[in-house]
Amino acid sequence: MPKYIFVIGGVMSGLGKGVTSASIAKLLQLTGLKVACAKVDPYLNVDAGTMNPIIHGEVFVTDDGGETDMDLGTYERFLEENLSRSHNITTGQVYKAVIESERRGDYLGRCVQIIPHVTDEIKNRIRGVARDSGGDVLLVEVGGTVGDIEGLPFLEALRQMRLEEGASNTVFVHVTLAPVLDSVGEQKTKPTQHSVQELRRIGIQPDLIVARCEKPLAPETKEKISLFTSVENRCVISNPDVEAIYQVPQILFEEGIVEPLCEKLQLGNRKVNWGNWRETTDAYTNRTGVVKIAMVGKYVALPDSYVSVNHALAHAGAKNGFKVEVDWVDAERFEKKPDSVNILDSYDGVLVPGGFGNRGSLGKIMTANHARINKIPYLGICFGFQMAIVSFARYVCGLKDANSTELDERTSNPVIDLLPEQKNVTDKGASMRLGGHDIAIVEGTLARRLYGSATIRERHRHRYEFNQDYRSLLEQHGIVFSGYSDSGRRTEMLEIPSLPFYFATQFHPEYVSRPTSPEPAYLGFVRAAIERRMSKNFPPDTGSSTLTVPRSKL
Ligand code: GLN
């Protein structure tokens, strides 16, 4: 019978509930248990695919083609395992299923209600994930914060699960904040007290409290939280700021979270076997150099829009002993002031990530061109791959009006065009080319050297692709297309062998990068950036890296 850990957030959003959840799961995994994670999101979207990444953060794509909440990426990176789309349950999916059942007549004669019909559907889905993952433990993180109206049916379902599964099979972890407001430095417990009261009002008493804090909780702070929340003192766990999120499992371990967790879930006396996780974590504290990357895009307002890209860069950097500093550059800036593209010269590498639509696209085309002319290492991802092709076709092959039909439907040189199967697609939800596809790599290419393999599997999220009518023209001018999928029909990678590192992929390599095994495209890119930095003898730089965890983010 699977055991459940329910993680519910309190006080405010942005506390790093996802990282806390993933870290708890990781610790249990390191004790030899089979652990899976699921996220419930109380919004009405069926999946995250239709949400703006500036508001909601990155859309994480699973191998089976799910467009999911970015926390699934955190789980995959920590657990180092692929999760399926069913591990992200939304209100939209739940209501859709209940309403479809109602229309089919499954509830004939009855009044369909939140309790029990919606809550039953939630419980069925959670149990289904536990069953399908075949694990010993399923950790379920609830999106949002206790007190949110839309989260109520989920919390009610979890309350019922405690009753039905029993206390030895369920644990409630409440993640809160212990802020320090005055110069005296006292850690405030009132927000945690109120948050627990709110939880209790709906019938949930937490078993453990994990409090986010700048510095570890003082013994008296723990005592106070314990007294006012009826949570045992040893179950009040500090979760202080750390340099790199991958250190959090270690912190929670030192705080002694494993013992009460295993005791409450009757999992026996379990020992954590760190394996190569420690080494991986140490790499983040032993970074000696800094490499600077310009990320040119549209969704620059919220770093979470490209969270997997940031992590993939950090994984590759740590492997080489370097911190990767990412500066977000607004592509539109270059359109307004073309000379400003020269700012890219001061970077060690330039990355154009995935994107959609016209706004900022010319700036990205200019970026791809500038990196090519000035031999700056370039990594293009999805839209960044497409814009590199448009730029090459325009500025090297002389097709002045070359474009993607996403940006100009009437272009006379559609070097990027709609995927054939997309021609009749009208629905926007879950209709792109999504998820993992096998890719064949051409022999004798940079791609082949990077991946060291003839086939790889990578994840996708796009509607447009390279139009192969232009293949020989571009090849004649020096581009090498180094990867294909769907028996050669889809072009997946390009490179320019005459340059130090000019590489782009139609797929999103960041989704499969893990701290212990950085993704090869990112590794190659970061290595090339380090080489450029060394050759230029740039002064050593210090400063925050993308994995330096800001207080509010963890
Ligand atoms: N907009 C492009 C397409 O749909 C690229 C998508 C992306 O970058 N994820 O093909």
Side-chain angles (χ1 to χ4, degrees), residues 10-237:
V11 183
M12 62 184 217
S13 62
L15 287 181
K17 213 162 14 98
V19 170
T20 304
S21 300
S23 300
I24 293 172
K26 181 73 195 174
L27 268 178
L28 291 182
Q29 186 195 50
L30 292 172
T31 72
L33 291 164
K34 185 160 166 38
V35 187
C37 289
K39 172 91 192 278
V40 296
D41 277 309
Y43 45 68
L44 275 162
N45 302 61
V46 169
D47 59 42
T50 51
M51 277 186 279
N52 187 334
I54 290 191
I55 298 160
H56 188 71
E58 168 193 272
V59 177
F60 185 78
V61 178
T62 52
D63 186 72
D64 64 355
E67 295 177 287
T68 68
D69 184 84
M70 62 175 189
D71 276 332
L72 268 82
T74 311
Y75 307 155
E76 284 203 359
R77 286 187 282 274
F78 274 78
L79 291 175
E80 303 173 277
E81 274 171 22
N82 287 356
L83 296 173
S84 98
R85 64 200 309 161
S86 63
H87 289 239
N88 192 189
I89 302 169
T90 68
T91 299
Q93 292 164 18
V94 171
Y95 275 56
K96 190 165 177 271
V98 170
I99 291 168
E100 277 167 8
S101 295
E102 188 276 332
R103 291 290 83 185
R104 266 199 313 273
D106 297 350
Y107 309 114
L108 267 192
R110 272 174 288 160
C111 170
V112 183
Q113 295 176 301
I114 306 278
I115 306 172
H117 303 102
V118 167
T119 46
D120 280 353
E121 179 65 29
I122 293 169
K123 289 187 292 181
N124 285 343
R125 278 173 186 255
I126 292 174
R127 290 187 174 115
V129 174
R131 200 180 43 243
D132 295 345
S133 66
D136 306 302
V137 178
L138 176 68
L139 182 145
V140 180
E141 177 192 346
V142 183
T145 309
V146 61
D148 296 347
I149 292 173
E150 56 264 48
L152 278 173
F154 286 106
L155 297 185
E156 168 60 17
L158 301 187
R159 186 193 68 78
Q160 293 175 17
M161 280 187 76
R162 163 73 144 217
L163 195 68
E164 293 161 6
E165 305 284 331
S168 59
N169 294 316
T170 49
V171 153
F172 281 97
V173 177
H174 194 39
V175 179
T176 68
L177 174 73
V180 173
L181 294 178
D182 50 35
S183 51
V184 186
E186 190 197 355
Q187 290 168 322
K188 295 294 185 190
T189 65
K190 197 67 84 190
T192 300
Q193 293 180 38
H194 279 297
S195 186
V196 172
Q197 277 168 21
E198 192 64 28
L199 255 188
R200 285 207 198 118
R201 237 160 46 83
I202 48 179
I204 294 172
Q205 163 65 39
D207 301 292
L208 281 95
I209 288 177
V210 177
R212 288 281 296 111
C213 39
E214 223 171 301
K215 303 233 166 66
L217 296 177
E220 51 280 15
T221 314
K222 281 196 178 181
E223 233 161 76
K224 206 163 164 188
I225 291 178
S226 167
L227 178 69
F228 283 100
T229 61
S230 298
V231 170
E232 288 174 79
N233 193 309
R234 65 177 183 138
C235 296
V236 179
I237 307 287

Side-chain angles (χ1 to χ4, degrees), residues 296-298 331 352 354-355 359-368 383 387:
V296 184
K298 182 166 68 167
V352 177
R359 192 164 64 80
S361 60
L362 178 60
K364 295 175 192 179
I365 295 167
M366 292 164 74
T367 300
F383 201 59
M387 294 303 101

